[in-house]
Amino acid sequence: MPTSRSYGDACTIARALDVVGERWALLVVRELLLGPQRFSDVRRALPGASSNLVTDRLRELEGHGVVARRKLPPPAAATVYQLTEPGRELEPVVLALGAWGARLPRPEPASLGAVSVLLYLRESARPRATACYRLELDARVWTVRTEPGRLTVEPGEPAAPDATVRTDPPTLNALLERPAHLAGAIDDGRLAIEGDLAAVRRLLREH
């Protein structure tokens, strides 16, 4: 059942943790930072959490006004979860935790989801050219747009991408760290590109 535990502490930090301090709560918020997602998408991104636990965290966050449910119009007709305005105010908190955690050793083995890699790409990118990419990660499609000094990411299909990239989150993460390995990832089938190869090379190098 959803938790109703409280620190019973008047400190504003403790009061914030009463809302988002439960295990997995901030990772649910992380998954919604780039846009609305279906329950199945959030669940798939958190393989260490059971369906019931993810359901509880979403319900708790909804009850606290951090998350809201929305019904998509036909033909999708699916229910998605999205951050409310107070929920979006958690973004710098989550990103700051990520920056702090970068100094810590990675657990082995460990999962790595699409949103985590895309947030890293967005925050670290320093693009110098305008381009649009269709990025397919683990059967989900994202639109990545660059312009001088700015990169944006949103779920869904772009209208006219300069390039399409199909891969998995660990491969993309590895290439962001070592862009020179792009040819090898293409040769061994871990990544496929359609369209402007030079634009993809820029995307990987300009961060």
Side-chain angles (χ1 to χ4, degrees):
M1 294 295 294
T3 181
S4 58
R5 291 179 296 185
S6 170
Y7 287 103
D9 189 323
C11 169
T12 55
I13 297 170
R15 284 148 56 190
L17 290 174
D18 282 345
V19 174
V20 296
E22 284 294 321
R23 186 168 171 81
W24 300 102
L26 281 179
L27 294 187
V28 169
V29 171
R30 178 197 69 189
E31 289 305 308
L32 301 178
L33 287 179
L34 295 180
Q37 298 215 46
R38 297 170 301 176
F39 175 84
S40 58
D41 296 323
V42 178
R43 171 69 183 86
R44 190 181 308 113
L46 304 173
S50 68
S51 293
N52 287 343
L53 194 153
V54 174
T55 297
D56 288 348
R57 292 296 92 88
L58 284 166
R59 185 182 296 122
E60 291 161 9
L61 291 169
E62 186 177 4
H64 287 295
V66 175
V67 167
R69 276 182 288 181
R70 178 165 62 91
K71 189 82 169 180
L72 295 179
T79 298
V80 295
Y81 292 88
Q82 62 187 36
L83 293 175
T84 61
E85 189 58 36
R88 292 218 60 83
E89 292 171 1
L90 286 166
E91 180 166 347
V93 176
V94 175
L95 296 179
L97 278 172
W100 187 85
R103 73 189 74 181
L104 304 176
R106 296 183 185 182
E108 294 293 345
S111 63
L112 183 64
V115 169
S116 297
V117 179
L118 292 171
L119 285 172
Y120 168 66
L121 172 63
R122 189 191 69 177
E123 295 306 304
S124 63
R126 300 294 181 269
R128 295 188 293 273
T130 299
C132 178
Y133 304 86
R134 180 185 186 274
L135 192 55
E136 188 173 324
L137 295 172
D138 290 345
R140 286 203 68 199
V141 175
W142 304 83
T143 295
V144 175
R145 291 189 175 89
T146 63
E147 57 187 69
R150 184 168 181 259
L151 182 148
T152 60
V153 183
E154 60 186 29
E157 295 275 358
D162 297 290
T164 291
V165 178
R166 295 185 185 89
T167 187
D168 57 72
T171 297
L172 178 58
N173 188 66
L175 290 173
L176 290 172
E177 294 178 350
R178 297 179 178 84
H181 293 183
L182 176 61
I186 295 172
D187 289 345
D188 64 21
R190 288 180 294 135
L191 181 142
I193 295 174
E194 296 175 11
D196 190 342
L197 177 59
V200 176
R201 291 189 184 279
R202 285 199 308 271
L203 179 68
L204 295 176
R205 292 180 184 277
E206 293 179 348
H207 69 94

